[in-house]
Amino acid sequence: MDEATGAQLIAESLKAQKVEYMFGIVGVPVIEVAMAAQAAGIKYVGMRNEQAVEACRLYSKFSARPSSLEAIPSVIEKAVRTSMYGRPGACYVDIAGDMVNTVREVCFSCRVVSCCPPPPVSLADHGAITEAISVLKAAKRPLVIIGKGAACGRAEIALRQFVETSCLPFLPTPMGKGLLPDDHPNCVAAARSRALLQADVVLLLGARLNWILHFGLPPRFDPDVKVIQVDLCAEEMGNNVRPAVALLGDINAIVTQLLTCVRKDGWKYPSDTEWWNTLKDKIAANAKISKALALQSTLPMNYYTVFHHVSQLLPHDCIIVSEGANTMDIGRTMLNNYLPRHRLDAGTFGTMGVGLGFAIAAAAVEKSENKGQRVVCVEGDSAFGFSGMEVETMCRYNLPVVIIVVNNNGIYSGVDPETWKEMAKMGDLTSVAPPVTLLPEARYDEIMTAFGGRGFLVRTVEELRSALQLSLSDWEKPSLLNVLIDPSSDRKQQEFPWLTRSNL
């Protein structure tokens, strides 16, 4: 029997589950937990932006409150295991404050719970695989949609072989980007709306038919579209659209099953079909519009000009973190990903304020593994405001994150400094300023310099390229590019509104 505190048991239990990093905001009694984690060999990263943690309980895969010190190791093992098994997700363990500092004798067998094994792998029913192949073969306008579930399932090798063997067009979801390179000849992301609207069969790989995919419903989808749904979670099957075929199991394993059948049959979707011609024509037309916007030389710059030059300078292996409204939407189409799991964004719930935290976590791992990969965080000015103080965290730990704030003085759109001054003359700004406006030309770059990082105020293409090249060459400290763009800059004309059409 050895004496141990609750904090020690928490730290030892996390270390036993091979946890390498802890992120937190200290205060009594979290201080003791953080110190115990460091003593156990876990790297502790102190953050600045505290969210409503208790609210997480309702949205967690597993939540528990250990009833005793002896129960802590097994509860933590179950939380870690549950977070990885099935669909990955957050778990919540609530430990009473007085337990953290309680000192008690705890038997060795209670203190040690071995690391949980990797998640088991399950295959889809063979008959369902055969049916899925039959539906694909009969399709005139097939489309593969690659979701973040395929990225979590590490299906990139099998998926690339399947796409290239079958010659099917594919469309990645935001965090499915990079599983196959965005410049792959079968990628039809630049014709997204047309592909979704006219596809008659969709092979849905680890993606949910939620708001990001317009729920799979008209007018964005064909009302008679057949969906072959591949998912690890049985409860997801049939949400919003009943699948023609449901393939339940590990994404990588199921794609391998499909690949085996395609190779055995020698089947390949023809490359000279009207469907491929339609998609290629739309890709070319959209690329022409985007290029024209990107090459505009007027000042202030627009979104497309900024992203055009940023995309030319970013390393292909960099990790891109993105959040915002237009910044995230346009950036998704113009900033390519070439490697799997190298893009993080606001995700399923469109949660703003997560970007800098994601970037810190990615940079902390990169610093330990030293792979030479840059972490680039592309933020709208509104999104940056949610967690902007995390730049101090980056400076404190010398994490060389490159932050690009695309600053249009507002949420969706803002006003220029002259208009702002005129509005101030009209009366109280709380009554006359549009709710979407922010302070024009706010100096976000000076927040970074205040903590010892590099800050750049950018107005021109030349300043943008110079500042970004300098930032990418600096591995010692973080940088922030405050890129001022036209407050009225917007997305190119869309065939459909993204989600909800505004009355403004």
Side-chain angles (χ1 to χ4, degrees), residues 25-33 44:
I25 297 177
V26 296
V28 176
V30 179
I31 295 171
E32 287 83 354
V33 176
Y44 177 80

Side-chain angles (χ1 to χ4, degrees), residues 167 268-277 280:
C167 291
K268 179 179 293 187
Y269 182 71
S271 59
D272 58 351
T273 61
E274 182 180 351
W275 178 230
W276 259 122
N277 291 335
K280 289 176 180 177

Side-chain angles (χ1 to χ4, degrees), residues 1 111 158 212 328 362 439 445 480 497:
M1 301 281 282
R111 289 183 67 168
I212 294 176
M328 186 169 67
L439 184 67
D445 52 299
L480 189 151

